[in-house]
């Protein structure tokens, strides 16, 4: 009986300890092995096979081959494009290349930890820049709150529709995939996202994806029902994760590394959470954008540089979000609320912010106009939310901040960090 009691105590203590941890987690540094923090200088093989036009039937891109993605390549007719681990796809700069998976089609990009799939620029090493090519677009059959579910990203109108009623639809697999130097601009001078998921259903497997040096958003979720794990955004010019059009999203164990010197105008965020982009084309009877973010870490490089107005998250008047067990370090602002919110009527449940660490952030909870400091902070900086405000050097907070290789941004000495020591 005594042995059973001791075992129960150990299990209970372990459970309480695991629940107290914050930020990305894992038994080992899962950022290592498959990622690349020197993508500009990496030498890739020259392409030997051209991808262009429409892919109308099932096709497999072979392991250890290098392909040149030319122009807009559409996977149509419910075809499946399978990409084997170790494949390199280089997006052509001159033709503003893009890979578009149309509604009903699938992308099976199933890389391996020691043999990832890489989408990168066609330019030579040390000549690559953000926006060298457009990026990847995947359109599915899950709901959005947009009346006309179409993407206006210079896509062929024949193939730009997304959305439907199938929450559990599957658009394929993205696993151990890197996307580098994407996010070129459209004809309307709008920066594209490196990875756009529009109306994608929750049977789609999305995990271990790294987006580096995007000129637009790293990830954009337009409607759909998303479950994603271990997504990384590095040095995005715009937002790292953009949620809109009524998307229902669950994001766990995500990592953002921001650099103020590459940020675009408009105060980019780690998480931008809005209910719609075009009010006139939105069906407000549909579910609002709802995002759950758990065990996330975001760090801003050069945290002593001021005046860039970056922030952890932005939420509009209607969206809902729950951000828990996460760590945000070095930002000028923490959570930013729309200045249209009437805080005398604001529902606390719209943004739940609990068990988080805000480290070396100048302002914690503000509005667009940097008003209502006391009112907003009083809502969130109360004991029950367990928010820790720290002022630590990142070297003291994380296992490794060596960004010349794969850093280990798990929080070390969790109990001390959470105690504010």
């Amino acid at each position: 009986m005594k042995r059973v009691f001791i075992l129960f105590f150990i299990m209970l203590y372990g459970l309480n300890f695991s629940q107290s941890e914050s930020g990305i987690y894992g038994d080992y540094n899962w950022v290592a092995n498959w990622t690349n923090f020197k993508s500009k200088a990496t030498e890739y093989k020259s392409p030997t096979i051209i991808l262009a036009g429409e892919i109308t039937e099932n096709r497999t891109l072979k392991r250890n081959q290098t392909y040149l993605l030319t122009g807009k390549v559409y996977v149509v007719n419910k075809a499946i494009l399978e990409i084997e681990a170790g494949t390199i796809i280089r997006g052509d700069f001159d033709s503003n290349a893009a890979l578009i998976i149309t509604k009903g089609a699938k992308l099976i990009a199933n890389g391996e930890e020691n043999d990832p799939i890489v989408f990168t620029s066609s330019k030579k090493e040390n000549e690559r820049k953000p926006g060298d090519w457009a990026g990847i677009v995947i359109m599915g059959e899950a709901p959005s709150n947009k009346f006309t579910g179409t993407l206006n990203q210079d896509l062929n109108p024949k193939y730009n529709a997304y959305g439907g009623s199938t929450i559990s639809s599957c658009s394929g697999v993205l696993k151990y995939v890197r996307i580098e130097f994407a996010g070129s601009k459209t004809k309307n001078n709008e920066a594209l996202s490196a990875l756009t998921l529009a109306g994608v259903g929750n049977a789609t497997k999305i995990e271990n994806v790294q987006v580096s040096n995007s000129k637009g958003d790293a990830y954009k979720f337009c409607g759909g029902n998303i479950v994603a794990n271990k997504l990384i955004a590095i040095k995005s010019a715009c937002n790292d994760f953009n949620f809109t059009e009524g998307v229902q999203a669950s994001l766990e164990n995500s990592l953002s590394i921001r650099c103020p010197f590459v940020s675009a105008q408009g105060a980019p965020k780690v998480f931008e959470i809005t209910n719609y982009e075009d009010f006139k084309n939105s069906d407000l009877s549909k579910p609002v954008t709802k995002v759950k973010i758990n065990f996330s870490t975001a760090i801003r490089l050069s945290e002593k540089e001021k005046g860039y107005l970056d922030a952890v998250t932005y939420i509009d008047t209607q969206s809902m979000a729950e951000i828990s067990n996460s760590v945000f370090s070095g930002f000028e602002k923490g959570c930013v609320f729309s200045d249209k919110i009437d805080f005398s009527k604001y529902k606390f449940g719209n943004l739940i912010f609990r068990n988080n660490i805000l480290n070396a952030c100048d302002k914690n909870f503000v509005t667009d106009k940097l008003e209502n400091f006391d009112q907003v902070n009083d809502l969130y900086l109360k004991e029950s939310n367990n928010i820790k405000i720290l002022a630590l050097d990142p070297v003291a907070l994380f296992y490794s901040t060596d960004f010349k290789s794969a850093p280990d941004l798990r929080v070390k000495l969790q109990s001390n960090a959470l105690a504010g020591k």
Side-chain angles (χ1 to χ4, degrees):
M1 182 68 181
K2 183 177 181 181
R3 186 174 299 176
V4 173
F5 175 79
I6 292 173
L7 180 61
F8 174 78
F9 177 81
I10 292 173
M11 292 175 63
L12 181 62
Y13 175 82
L15 178 62
N16 287 337
F17 179 77
S18 65
Q19 288 176 337
S20 70
E21 293 186 346
S22 298
I24 61 171
Y25 63 90
D27 294 333
Y28 67 102
N29 183 23
W30 57 264
V31 174
N33 300 327
W34 62 280
T35 56
N36 187 353
F37 288 78
K38 298 180 180 179
S39 53
K40 186 172 185 178
T42 300
E43 182 178 355
Y44 293 111
K45 293 180 181 179
S46 298
T48 57
I49 304 171
I50 294 177
L51 292 175
E54 298 178 0
I55 297 175
T56 59
E57 56 187 24
N58 295 352
R59 180 172 179 179
T60 300
L61 306 187
K62 295 296 184 179
R63 179 188 294 263
N64 297 323
Q65 293 287 346
T66 302
Y67 296 80
L68 181 65
L69 189 72
T70 305
K72 290 182 173 61
V73 177
Y74 295 88
V75 181
V76 302
N77 197 34
K78 297 186 178 181
I80 299 174
L81 176 63
E82 182 177 359
I83 305 176
E84 294 182 348
T87 305
I88 308 295
I89 301 96
R90 303 185 68 168
D92 182 51
F93 171 76
D94 294 327
S95 61
N96 194 22
L99 177 63
I100 298 102
I101 312 301
T102 63
K103 184 176 174 179
K106 292 182 180 180
L107 172 64
I108 308 294
N110 206 353
E112 299 169 1
E113 185 171 13
N114 293 305
D115 207 8
I117 294 165
V118 180
F119 291 85
T120 192
S121 167
S122 63
K123 289 185 178 180
K124 297 180 180 179
E125 58 270 21
N126 296 316
E127 295 180 4
R128 301 172 192 135
K129 295 180 180 179
D132 278 349
W133 62 292
I136 302 173
V137 177
I138 302 177
M139 291 176 279
E141 301 172 285
S144 81
N145 65 14
K146 192 174 182 179
F147 276 121
T148 56
T150 57
L151 284 176
N152 301 318
Q153 298 184 352
D154 295 344
L155 301 185
N156 185 336
K158 184 179 178 181
Y159 298 127
N160 69 348
Y162 63 91
S165 58
T166 310
I167 291 173
S168 60
S169 59
C170 178
S171 296
V173 176
L174 281 173
K175 184 176 182 181
Y176 291 115
V177 173
R178 299 204 307 260
I179 305 170
E180 304 169 349
F181 301 101
S184 63
K185 292 188 176 181
T186 66
K187 295 176 182 177
N188 297 324
N189 206 34
E190 176 188 0
L192 298 173
S193 302
L195 176 60
T196 301
L197 300 172
V200 169
N202 60 27
T204 307
K205 191 171 186 177
I206 308 167
E207 61 182 49
N208 293 94
V209 179
Q210 178 189 24
V211 172
S212 303
N213 304 102
S214 175
K215 194 169 186 176
D217 296 335
Y219 303 86
K220 188 166 186 176
F221 307 94
C222 302
N225 196 290
I226 302 291
V227 178
N229 184 32
K230 296 181 180 176
L231 304 190
I232 303 174
I234 299 176
K235 295 184 178 180
S236 308
C238 295
N239 303 305
D240 291 324
F241 300 93
N242 189 338
F243 302 92
T244 191
E245 294 182 8
V247 62
Q248 309 294 293
S250 175
L251 181 64
E252 181 158 328
N253 220 358
S254 67
L255 173 63
S256 298
I257 300 171
R258 296 200 59 84
C259 178
F261 305 118
V262 299
S263 293
Q265 294 181 348
K269 320 293 188 301
V270 177
F271 307 110
E272 179 159 292
I273 303 168
T274 60
N275 195 38
Y276 51 79
E277 292 189 323
D278 180 5
F279 174 77
K280 294 180 180 179
N281 197 17
S282 299
D283 184 352
L284 300 185
S285 68
K286 297 286 183 67
V288 300
T289 295
K290 188 174 183 180
V291 180
K292 184 175 182 178
I293 297 163
N294 204 16
F295 295 105
S296 174
T297 294
I299 182 171
R300 178 191 193 254
L301 305 178
S302 304
E303 71 274 6
K304 294 182 181 179
E305 297 290 335
K306 305 302 179 184
Y308 290 89
L309 302 179
D310 51 12
V312 173
T313 190
Y314 171 84
I315 186 166
D316 67 2
T317 58
Q318 294 176 308
S319 299
M320 301 181 70
E322 180 179 342
I323 302 175
S324 305
N325 307 308
S326 297
V327 180
F328 308 109
S329 179
F331 292 87
E332 293 200 26
K333 291 176 285 186
C335 294
V336 181
F337 297 84
S338 168
D339 55 32
K340 296 180 181 178
I341 293 175
D342 181 353
F343 280 93
S344 65
K345 300 178 181 178
Y346 183 70
K347 294 181 180 179
F348 175 75
N350 281 24
L351 177 59
I352 297 173
F353 197 84
R354 291 176 179 155
N355 304 323
N356 298 313
I357 296 173
L358 286 168
N359 180 60
C361 296
D362 286 354
K363 301 176 181 68
N364 299 311
F365 297 92
V366 297
T367 65
D368 281 340
K369 295 180 179 179
L370 301 181
E371 297 173 348
N372 298 305
F373 288 109
D374 294 336
Q375 194 172 12
V376 180
N377 279 275
D378 286 347
L379 278 172
Y380 289 95
L381 294 181
K382 52 187 178 182
E383 187 174 353
S384 60
N385 287 327
N386 191 31
I387 297 172
K388 298 299 180 183
I389 308 299
L390 307 180
L392 298 176
D393 187 307
V395 173
L397 187 60
F398 302 106
Y399 278 110
S400 172
T401 55
D402 180 9
F403 295 99
K404 294 180 180 179
S405 57
D408 188 347
L409 293 173
R410 293 175 297 167
V411 174
K412 62 183 178 182
L413 301 175
Q414 289 271 1
S415 57
N416 284 346
L418 289 169
K421 298 180 180 179

